[in-house]
Amino acid sequence: MQALARLYEASHGASTPQEIIAQAVQELFAGRIAVVSSFGAESAVLLHMIAAVDPATPVLFLDTGRHFRATLEYRKTLAERLGLQNVQDILPLGEMLKKEDPFGALSMIDKDRCCFIRKVEPMARAVAPFAAWMTGRKQFQAATRATLAVFEAVGPRMRINPLARWQAADLKAYAEQHDLPVHPLTAEGYRSIGCMPCTRPVYEGEDQRAGRWAGSEKTECGIHLSGLTDRLKNLGASDQT
Ligand code: SF4
C-alpha cells in the first residue's frame, strides 16, 4: 500500500482538491470510501466539495461526548445546508467508558487514554469497513504537518488529505465564494476546535493548532497516528484493498 500511496501522490497529488475528491470517490475507491469530519473551524470546505461529488458519501463524526454545544449545533446546520445524506455519529464503547472513566474526568488525568477511548478506538471501528477515508488536514496547520502528503498508506487502507496543499487564504476564499456557514466559535478566536476540556482560542502568531491540548506535550489525538493502525489490527479488520 505504501507503493500505491506514492504512485497516487505522483499521479494525483498536485491536482485540485475537487479533482482529487472526484477521483477518489468516483473511481479509485468508489463505494469504499468515507470522510472523517470533526465539524470544526474549517470542516465546511471539504464537506462542501464532497457533497458536490456525492452527498451520500459516509461522513464519520467522532462524538466524544466532550464537544462544545456549538459544535453539535454546527454539525446539524452544516449537514442540512450541504445536504449530507449519511452523517454517522461514532460513539465510544459504553463498557470502556464505564470501566475507565466512570466520572468523566479522565481528560484531566490521562489525556492519551481519554483520546484512545473516545477517538482512536471508535475511529478504528468506524473506518474498518472502508478501503479509504478522507480528512481535512492541511500542511499549514502546524509544523508537525508541514510535509503532509495527499495520499498516505495506513496499513492496507488509504488516507487521503485532499486539502493538504491548500493555504488558509484558499480556504477563506472558497468559503466566501460558496457562502458556507462558519463555526460560531471561530469568532471567539478558536481556529482548531476539538473537545471542550482540551481546546482554547489561539493567539496572534501561534500555530493554528496551538489551542489544542495547550500546556501539554500532546499535539495529536492519535486518530492520525500509528495507534490507529495497531487498533485496526487488533480489531482483525480485513484487508480492504
Ligand atoms: S481531546 Fe481531551 S476530552 Fe477529547 S478525547 Fe482527547 S483528552 Fe478526552
Side-chain angles (χ1 to χ4, degrees):
M1 187 53 82
Q2 295 280 0
L4 195 58
R6 283 196 293 275
L7 184 69
Y8 286 164
E9 188 72 20
S11 55
H12 303 297
S15 301
T16 66
Q18 293 95 325
E19 289 168 343
I20 293 166
I21 292 165
Q23 276 282 328
V25 171
Q26 295 174 332
E27 296 183 32
L28 301 177
F29 300 100
R32 303 179 298 146
I33 187 167
V35 55
V36 177
S37 180
S38 64
F39 287 86
E42 291 171 341
S43 297
V45 170
L46 181 66
L47 293 176
H48 182 267
M49 290 174 176
I50 289 170
V53 173
D54 183 0
T57 303
V59 180
L60 311 177
F61 172 63
L62 300 177
D63 187 352
T64 62
R66 290 290 178 274
H67 286 296
F68 291 91
R69 182 182 293 272
T71 297
L72 300 178
E73 287 167 1
Y74 184 59
R75 171 212 173 289
K76 269 188 164 178
T77 305
L78 203 51
E80 283 171 15
R81 164 70 196 284
L82 302 182
L84 299 171
Q85 297 167 8
N86 190 5
V87 181
Q88 301 175 16
D89 293 329
I90 312 299
L91 301 171
L93 292 173
E95 62 194 51
M96 226 177 201
L97 280 180
K98 197 171 159 191
K99 185 175 168 200
E100 299 199 46
D101 193 13
F103 307 110
L106 190 58
S107 67
M108 292 188 280
I109 304 160
D110 187 342
K111 291 188 190 314
D112 285 341
R113 191 63 193 165
C114 185
C115 275
F116 179 82
I117 293 171
R118 290 189 162 85
K119 293 187 173 184
V120 178
E121 190 285 329
M123 171 84 172
R125 256 189 293 123
V127 299
F130 299 99
W133 68 92
M134 294 173 279
T135 86
R137 292 186 300 160
K138 279 86 61 182
Q139 293 176 346
F140 78 84
Q141 286 178 305
T144 49
R145 294 186 178 179
T147 58
L148 180 70
V150 172
F151 292 89
E152 299 176 291
V154 181
R157 295 174 178 73
M158 193 72 75
R159 180 168 53 210
I160 305 171
N161 311 299
L163 300 172
R165 296 189 170 104
W166 264 28
Q167 300 299 314
D170 300 319
L171 294 164
K172 187 167 180 282
Y174 186 96
E176 285 174 1
Q177 182 189 351
H178 296 281
D179 193 24
L180 299 180
V182 295
H183 192 300
L185 290 178
T186 55
E188 297 176 29
Y190 289 85
R191 293 183 55 211
S192 174
I193 302 168
C195 295
M196 187 167 58
C198 303
T199 307
R200 66 151 170 81
V202 171
Y203 306 119
E204 196 68 33
E206 287 186 324
D207 267 359
Q208 188 183 45
R209 287 176 58 81
R212 306 289 296 276
W213 306 283
S216 77
E217 294 293 308
K218 192 171 170 65
T219 57
E220 298 277 354
C221 61
I223 62 170
H224 307 304
L225 304 178
S226 59
L228 179 70
T229 319
D230 296 341
R231 189 61 197 173
L232 277 163
K233 280 184 198 151
N234 289 343
L235 282 174
S238 60
D239 190 325
Q240 295 291 309
T241 59

